[in-house]
Amino acid sequence: MAVDPLLKQAQGVWETLAAVPVSFPLVGGLNVVTSPASQMAPPSWAGIVVLGESAIVTAPTDRAAQVLRRILAGMPTSSLTSSEAVRAVLPVNEVLGPAVLGYVSRDGFRPVPASRSVERLAPPGHQDLMALVKSVSPEDAGESGMDEITSAAFVVRKGADVVAAAGFQAWPAAAAHLCVLTAPGERGRGLARQVASAAVAQALADGLLPQWRARPMASRNVARALGFRELGSQLSIRLDQEELRLEG
């Protein structure tokens, strides 16, 4: 079977984030490991990532890993990041996601011509960029991750105000995690595509793998317009420790 180089590169990112040796099975299925230091999920949570037809799972404790390995092995790989499917079989207190994971190669990138001037702001957080972040809801700000970018910010202004911005966080395994935010009153005008296009071009020029993690369809559509391929999904779950003891 031919190896998809983009998929292989994406899997390498999450194998690194697992923080212990683990790999995506070559032909379907999942591997579960104990990793208290995993970066695939918040501390003390379990992280599930599906890429292609395979999955890896990190658990905060050996007991959690034992339960996850036994129960998740009986599920279709495509259901592992469904919050409803996972809640139906596991003692879950809280979930984050699922989020779709998209990636783009240099050859697959489709840059978007800017109809308005895109300005580059050097890091760290520029006050005009932070004004945009503070102007939106906490949910939008958190979803965007704009206050955590390590790259320059690529922005469009309306007058003196930044109304759209994009940048990326440098992740392990040479990944560039894209972050995009548009002021609510300026959405639907193609600004997200323009600033994101500039950020992706910079990431590729830096030799990084652009990653787009999104839940809202509007965000996924921006990524698709730029040539991102949706290769998988991610779900984080906080398990009920008392119920785990009974399960074990």
Side-chain angles (χ1 to χ4, degrees), residues 137-191:
S137 69
E139 293 77 16
D140 280 358
E143 181 78 23
S144 76
M146 279 302 303
D147 59 345
E148 298 178 358
I149 64 171
T150 56
S151 71
F154 298 86
V155 308
V156 166
R157 294 181 186 270
K158 185 175 184 180
D161 297 331
V162 170
V163 294
F168 56 84
Q169 303 168 19
W171 274 29
H177 182 70
L178 269 294
C179 304
V180 184
L181 181 63
T182 305
E186 301 295 326
R187 294 173 185 173
R189 302 180 184 180
L191 299 182

Side-chain angles (χ1 to χ4, degrees), residues 20-42:
V20 298
V22 65
S23 59
F24 286 83
L26 293 177
V27 186
L30 77 160
N31 283 326
V32 181
V33 291
T34 303
S35 179
S38 171
Q39 294 177 273
M40 285 176 40

Side-chain angles (χ1 to χ4, degrees), residues 81-92:
T81 52
S82 163
S83 56
E84 294 82 4
V86 170
R87 281 184 181 277
V89 295
L90 286 168
V92 176

Side-chain angles (χ1 to χ4, degrees), residues 33-119:
V33 291
T34 303
S35 179
S38 171
Q39 294 177 273
M40 285 176 40
S44 79
W45 289 47
I48 305 170
V49 173
V50 174
L51 284 168
E53 302 299 322
S54 303
I56 58 173
V57 180
T58 57
T61 64
D62 288 337
R63 176 62 60 83
Q66 179 184 26
V67 172
L68 289 167
R69 189 176 294 112
R70 174 168 55 83
I71 293 178
L72 296 184
M75 296 175 60
T77 304
S78 59
S79 298
L80 294 177
T81 52
S82 163
S83 56
E84 294 82 4
V86 170
R87 281 184 181 277
V89 295
L90 286 168
V92 176
N93 281 339
E94 193 174 354
V95 302
L96 288 173
V100 174
L101 299 171
Y103 300 87
V104 67
S105 64
R106 186 183 300 274
D107 292 341
F109 177 44
R110 296 194 295 267
V112 174
S115 61
R116 293 167 66 170
S117 175
V118 177
E119 179 184 346

Side-chain angles (χ1 to χ4, degrees), residues 185-200:
E186 301 295 326
R187 294 173 185 173
R189 302 180 184 180
L191 299 182
R193 291 196 298 272
Q194 293 176 42
V195 293
S197 180
V200 171

